[in-house]
Amino acid sequence: MASKVTKGIVISFWLLFAIAVGAVVLLFSAIAKGSIGYMPPVEQLENPIDKYASQVVSADGKTLGIYAHSQDNRIMVNYNDLSPDLVKALIATEDVRFAEHSGIDVQGLFRAVVKRGILMQKSGGGGSTITQQLAKQLFSPSVDNVMERLFQKPIEWVIAVQLERYYTKEEIINMYLNKFDFLYNAVGIQSAARVYFGKTPKTLKIEEAATLVGMCKNPSYFNPRRHNERTRGRRNTVLEQMQKAGYFLGGYGETMDSFNDVFQEVLKYCRNCKSISEPGYNKWIKILEPMKLENNVAYLLTDSDFSRDITMNAYENLLKEAFLNTLGFEVDIKILVKDKEEVNETEEKDIEVKVADFSDEENNNLTFDNFIKGKSNDLAYAFSTAVAHKYDEDQKTPSNTNTIFNPLIIYGDSGLGKTHLMKAIEHEVKKNHPELKIIYTTGESFINQLVKAIESKETNKFHDKYRNADYLMVDDIQTIAGKERMQEEFFHTFNDLYNAGKQIVLTSDIAPSKISKLQNRILTRFSLGVQVDVTPPDFETRMAIVKKKADMLDLQLSDNVVRIIAEKIKTNIRQLEGTVNKIKALTIYTNESPSISMAQRIIKEIIIENHPAEITVDRILQEVAAAFDVTADDIKSTNRRANVSLARKIAIYLFKDVKGMTFIQIGNELNKNHSTMTIHYQDVVKNLKENKQLKDTVDDIIKNLKDN
C-alpha cells in the first residue's frame, strides 16, 4: 500500500514539474511573439531608437557647442574610443561572466534568487546581466511598484537574448555606456567623462573609470559631486572587483598601464605622508617601479638587494597604507630586484611544495663557500657537504654516504647556522644535479599544507609531492611534536623516502631525544642516521663571520669595530650579521663612517630587540604587588582583603594572558583550586571592559613586564 502511495506522489511531482516547465516555455514564447507585454519589432532591435546631441566642432578640433533635441546631453562614442579600464571595470562589477552567457547569466540569476529572494540577503547581489540592463534602458518604461517590475523582468530576459543575437558583445557594452544617465546633464559616457573629469572616455585613468562604473549602481547615491566619501568607497569596491576578476595582472602589456596609474597615486600618498622624510622618499620609495598586482600582492621593482631590504624593513607598512588608501583593499608588498628576480608563476599554491629559488642574493649567500667554519660547527659542515655530494659521480663510497648520513639531523639554538647549512646543501645539489627534485619546507609549512590537503580532500596530491622527492629538507621539525595526525603523515613519508634511498635532512632547535610528545617510532627513525649539533661560535669564528659579512656588503670595518661586535654578540650569528647590515644602512643613509660608537649603539638596539627579559611568575607577582600596595606573599595567601583579592585576580589574568600558563598551572602556583582560577580570570576580563582605570593599571603592569 505504501509503495502505491509513494509512486502516486512521485508521479504527481513530475506532472507538476512538467506543467511548470510547459508554462514557462509558453510564457516566454508568448513574450517573444508580443502576445504578452511589449516586444519591440526586429527593426527596432536592430536599430534601437536613440537620440544623440549634435556637436559643432572648430577646424582645430575644439567643441564650440552641443545641441540636443531633448534634455539628454548624450554624445555618441565608439567602442574603440573607450578606455580598456572602463570596459574591464564594467564587466568585473556588473557582469563578470559577460563573455560566457547569451543574455542571461543562469548562475548569477540562481544566486540572486536564493540569496535575495529566499534568504533575504540585501548583499546577495543581483542577477541582471549588462545585456538585461541595456534592455531595460532601451525598452522598459518606469514602474511604480514591485509587482510591475517583476512582470517586466521576463520581458527583459527575452529582449536581452534577442539583443545578443543582433549585436556583438562590444556593441552591447558600447550601447550601454552611451545610454546610461550619469546625472548633471551627463547622459552617456562621453558626456560623463567630460562633466566629471574634463576628459574623453579614452583618457580616463583607472580610478576615474572605476568611479563612473560605480555610479551605474545608483548615479544619485554614488555621485562624486554630492557624496564624495560615499563615491570613493564605491570606487574602491569596483577596483576590488577588478582585482578579483584578474584584471590587475602582470607583465608590461596593456594591464600594466592600469597598475602604473595605481602606483602613481601610491607615490603621491607616500610623498605627502609625514612619516617619511623627503630624502627617505627620494632614496627608497621614488626609485621603485610597478610590476604587477596579483592575488592581492603588489609586486614592485628596485635596483639592488640592499635597497629592497631597506625599503621592506623601513617602509613596508607605509606602502601597504598607501595601496589601501588608493585601492580600497589591503595588499601585501613584494619587492624584487630588476634583471635578477622574477615571480615564479608556479609559486606554492594550496598544497604545492615550495622548491628553492636561488635567484636572490640571500639564497646565493647561503652556500658552503660563505659558511664560516669553526669548532662549534665543523662536524655539521662536514656532514652537510657529504650529503650534498652523495649523488656525485666521483663519490667513492656512495653506499656508505647513502646510509650513514640518512637522515642528517642538525640541531642547536636559533641563529647558529642550521638553516644556512640546509640551504647550502640545497644550493649545491641544485647546481650539480638540476634533475633531482628537492623539497625544502618548514615543520610549520608541512603542517599547514597537510591541513589544506585534508580540507580540500587532496591528500593524494600531498603524498605525491613529498614522497617522490630526492631530497626532503624540513626546517624546525620539532613543530610537529604533539600533533598526532602530522606525525602520522611524516612517519609514512619518512619511511617511503628512506626505503627508496632518498636523502632526508632535518633541523631542530633541540636534540631530537629531548623533543617532548614526539612518537617513539619517529625517534627510532631519527637514530638511523647522524645527529650533529651546532653551538655558539667562539670569538675567532665570530670575528671571521663579521669580516665575511662586511666584505659581502663592500663595507670597510676597522679591526676595532669588528672586535667590539664579536665581543658583545656571542650567541647568535643572525645578530652578528644584522649588526653589520645596520651599519651598512647607516653609512649609506647618513654618510657617516663606521665607528665604535655607531657599532655600540646598534649592538645595544639589537640586544634589546632580541633578548627581552624573561617574564617569570615572580616578576608578575612583584609588579602586581607594587601596583596594588600589597606583597607577593599576600597574593599567594588566603587573605581576602579587597585590595589583596583584586591583586590576586589580576595576577591570575596575567599568568594566563601574558605568560600563557594553564589554569591548572596557575592553581598549583597559588595553591588554589584550578576551577576558581577560571572564574577569577573571567571576572577580570569583564572588569577590564567596564573599568578604564583598572585597564590602564593592568596595561602599565604589562608594559613594565615587557620593557624591563
Side-chain angles (χ1 to χ4, degrees):
M1 181 68 180
S3 61
K4 288 184 178 180
V5 173
T6 303
K7 186 176 180 181
I9 293 172
V10 172
I11 293 173
S12 299
F13 172 79
W14 283 110
L15 281 173
L16 288 171
F17 180 76
I19 292 171
V21 172
V24 171
V25 172
L26 288 173
L27 172 65
F28 283 102
S29 297
I31 293 173
K33 292 179 180 180
S35 303
I36 299 177
Y38 171 73
M39 175 56 57
V42 173
E43 293 79 11
Q44 195 171 342
L45 286 170
E46 292 178 340
N47 298 285
I49 298 173
D50 215 353
K51 299 192 181 294
Y52 297 95
S54 299
Q55 300 180 81
V56 179
V57 184
S58 64
D60 59 356
K62 294 182 179 180
T63 302
L64 301 178
I66 300 172
Y67 304 92
H69 179 72
S70 64
Q71 294 182 350
D72 290 357
N73 185 28
R74 188 185 305 119
I75 302 170
M76 178 66 180
V77 62
N78 294 320
Y79 182 85
N80 291 334
D81 293 324
L82 299 174
S83 163
D85 290 325
L86 187 66
V87 176
K88 292 171 184 175
L90 180 64
I91 293 173
T93 308
E94 299 294 330
D95 190 358
V96 72
R97 286 175 291 275
F98 178 68
E100 302 167 14
H101 63 69
S102 299
I104 301 174
D105 181 8
V106 177
Q107 183 178 337
L109 182 61
F110 180 77
R111 182 201 65 231
V113 170
V114 173
K115 290 189 175 183
R116 299 182 64 117
I118 300 175
L119 302 179
M120 306 300 290
Q121 297 178 1
K122 292 183 179 180
S123 61
S128 294
T129 64
I130 292 174
T131 315
Q132 288 173 240
Q133 295 178 45
L134 176 62
K136 178 185 176 182
Q137 290 181 6
L138 292 174
F139 303 111
S140 291
S142 303
V143 294
D144 298 323
N145 56 65
V146 176
M147 289 304 299
E148 289 183 16
R149 181 68 191 126
L150 287 175
F151 280 114
Q152 277 186 345
K153 280 286 187 180
I155 298 173
E156 290 171 4
W157 294 345
V158 176
I159 295 175
V161 172
Q162 296 281 37
L163 288 172
E164 291 273 350
R165 290 178 58 190
Y166 295 111
Y167 295 96
T168 65
K169 293 290 185 180
E170 290 80 8
E171 289 172 330
I172 290 171
I173 291 269
N174 199 49
M175 280 194 288
Y176 177 90
L177 290 173
N178 277 305
K179 179 69 178 176
F180 194 87
D181 189 348
F182 292 88
L183 303 185
Y184 284 97
N185 203 27
V187 182
I189 192 63
Q190 178 86 341
S191 297
R194 179 174 51 80
V195 168
Y196 291 108
F197 299 109
K199 295 183 175 181
T200 65
K202 186 83 169 179
T203 60
L204 289 171
K205 292 183 177 180
I206 186 171
E207 63 270 19
E208 296 165 344
T211 299
L212 294 178
V213 169
M215 293 177 68
C216 294
K217 184 177 179 69
N218 189 325
S220 178
Y221 190 78
F222 297 109
N223 196 288
R225 290 194 172 184
R226 297 169 57 188
H227 310 292
N228 190 45
E229 286 301 314
R230 184 188 298 167
T231 304
R232 181 183 179 89
R234 177 61 183 168
R235 179 208 69 180
N236 292 342
T237 299
V238 173
L239 291 169
E240 187 171 6
Q241 291 299 110
M242 294 178 71
Q243 163 69 1
K244 290 179 180 177
Y247 287 135
F248 292 147
L249 299 176
Y252 294 90
E254 174 185 14
T255 55
M256 188 57 198
D257 295 335
S258 300
F259 189 44
N260 270 330
D261 291 338
V262 171
F263 190 64
Q264 292 307 311
E265 295 300 313
V266 168
L267 290 179
K268 289 180 184 178
Y269 184 92
C270 293
R271 187 171 63 247
N272 297 326
C273 189
K274 295 180 180 180
S275 63
I276 184 173
S277 65
E278 185 175 352
Y281 169 81
N282 291 331
K283 192 168 187 64
W284 308 112
I285 302 296
K286 189 178 179 180
I287 64 169
L288 297 174
E289 297 177 14
M291 181 180 179
K292 68 179 181 178
L293 181 64
E294 185 177 53
N295 298 325
N296 281 40
V297 179
Y299 293 88
L300 308 174
L301 298 173
T302 192
D303 295 326
S304 67
D305 300 286
F306 183 75
S307 175
R308 174 196 60 197
D309 295 341
I310 293 294
T311 306
M312 288 297 292
N313 288 334
Y315 303 115
E316 181 183 8
N317 290 335
L318 173 62
L319 288 168
K320 285 184 175 181
E321 181 184 317
F323 272 106
L324 176 62
N325 181 78
T326 303
L327 293 172
F329 56 90
E330 294 182 354
V331 301
D332 291 324
I333 307 297
K334 186 167 184 177
I335 300 177
L336 308 177
V337 180
K338 287 187 289 186
D339 303 323
K340 190 174 183 182
E341 295 186 78
E342 295 180 353
V343 177
N344 186 355
E345 295 181 355
T346 60
E347 277 188 285
E348 183 177 355
K349 298 178 182 178
D350 296 329
I351 64 166
E352 294 292 327
V353 177
K354 185 177 181 180
V355 179
D357 177 11
F358 300 98
S359 59
D360 62 340
E361 183 181 3
E362 181 183 0
N363 284 334
N364 279 334
N365 289 338
L366 300 182
T367 65
F368 289 122
D369 291 339
N370 292 324
F371 187 84
I372 305 300
K373 293 177 289 183
K375 294 179 181 179
S376 63
N377 57 33
D378 53 354
L379 275 179
Y381 176 87
F383 295 168
S384 297
T385 55
V387 166
H389 293 284
K390 69 178 288 182
Y391 286 103
D392 290 1
E393 293 181 0
D394 60 350
Q395 181 71 43
K396 296 181 180 178
T397 56
S399 60
N400 290 339
T401 304
N402 287 345
T403 55
I404 294 176
F405 299 110
N406 197 21
L408 172 62
I409 304 175
I410 308 169
Y411 65 93
D413 289 338
S414 178
L416 296 180
K418 302 188 301 295
T419 300
H420 189 146
L421 286 172
M422 183 175 282
K423 300 298 288 186
I425 295 171
E426 187 181 38
H427 188 281
E428 196 73 10
V429 175
K430 197 76 173 181
K431 181 180 68 175
N432 298 325
H433 302 281
E435 75 281 1
L436 296 178
K437 182 180 179 181
I438 308 170
I439 293 177
Y440 170 81
T441 188
T442 63
E444 183 178 358
S445 180
F446 181 88
I447 293 170
N448 293 336
Q449 291 166 22
L450 179 57
V451 170
K452 288 182 179 179
I454 295 171
E455 290 175 347
S456 59
K457 298 180 179 179
E458 293 184 326
T459 52
N460 288 335
K461 186 177 180 181
F462 180 90
H463 296 159
D464 290 342
K465 281 291 182 181
Y466 276 98
R467 299 181 190 183
N468 289 298
D470 294 296
Y471 277 78
L472 174 61
M473 317 180 78
V474 184
D475 220 344
D476 293 325
I477 191 62
Q478 75 277 354
T479 56
I480 70 169
K483 303 174 177 65
E484 295 301 317
R485 179 68 177 86
M486 309 305 159
Q487 293 189 59
E488 179 78 16
E489 181 63 36
F490 181 78
F491 173 78
H492 292 295
T493 299
F494 184 104
N495 277 349
D496 283 1
L497 293 175
Y498 184 84
N499 293 332
K502 307 300 184 180
Q503 182 63 49
I504 301 166
V505 184
L506 310 171
T507 71
S508 172
D509 58 1
I510 57 175
S513 60
K514 295 181 179 179
I515 302 176
S516 62
K517 298 182 180 180
L518 194 65
Q519 296 174 359
N520 286 330
R521 60 177 180 171
I522 293 180
L523 286 173
T524 302
R525 296 308 187 274
F526 286 175
S527 65
L528 294 171
V530 171
Q531 302 176 16
V532 59
D533 67 331
V534 288
T535 58
D538 57 23
F539 177 73
E540 288 75 16
T541 304
R542 298 197 302 272
M543 288 273 290
I545 291 171
V546 173
K547 289 179 179 179
K548 184 70 174 180
K549 186 65 177 178
D551 290 342
M552 291 167 60
L553 295 176
D554 194 25
L555 177 66
Q556 299 296 320
L557 296 181
S558 68
D559 289 342
N560 288 334
V561 172
V562 173
R563 180 175 293 276
I564 195 160
I565 296 172
E567 286 177 347
K568 295 294 184 180
I569 300 178
K570 301 177 180 180
T571 61
N572 194 300
I573 295 173
R574 291 198 189 112
Q575 291 178 19
L576 288 170
E577 295 180 339
T579 302
V580 180
N581 282 332
K582 285 196 173 185
I583 291 175
K584 177 67 175 180
L586 280 177
T587 60
I588 293 176
Y589 192 70
T590 65
N591 291 322
E592 185 182 351
S593 298
S595 63
I596 292 177
S597 62
M598 179 191 289
Q600 288 175 326
R601 186 169 71 250
I602 293 173
I603 290 168
K604 184 178 179 180
E605 292 174 355
I606 286 180
I607 291 176
I608 291 174
E609 288 173 2
N610 291 277
H611 292 280
E614 183 183 0
I615 300 176
T616 64
V617 169
D618 287 339
R619 283 191 61 206
I620 292 175
L621 289 173
Q622 292 296 335
E623 288 290 343
V624 173
F628 290 92
D629 195 25
V630 299
T631 67
D633 289 337
D634 286 336
I635 295 173
K636 299 178 77 170
S637 72
T638 57
N639 193 318
R640 296 187 177 182
R641 291 200 322 267
N643 63 328
V644 175
S645 180
L646 179 58
R648 187 178 298 121
K649 290 181 179 180
I650 298 300
I652 291 168
Y653 173 83
L654 295 175
F655 288 150
K656 176 67 175 171
D657 271 24
V658 176
K659 190 165 177 59
M661 296 170 65
T662 66
F663 290 122
I664 294 176
Q665 290 172 327
I666 298 170
N668 293 337
E669 191 64 42
L670 299 178
N671 296 316
K672 311 285 185 191
N673 190 305
H674 72 270
S675 61
T676 62
M677 302 297 100
T678 308
I679 298 171
H680 293 328
Y681 174 83
Q682 294 297 337
D683 284 345
V684 175
V685 172
K686 182 181 178 182
N687 288 335
L688 290 177
K689 293 179 180 178
E690 300 171 351
N691 190 328
K692 185 178 184 302
Q693 185 177 356
L694 180 63
K695 185 179 185 305
D696 290 340
T697 301
V698 172
D699 287 344
D700 286 340
I701 295 172
I702 294 173
K703 186 176 185 300
N704 289 337
L705 287 169
K706 292 183 176 181
D707 289 350
N708 297 325

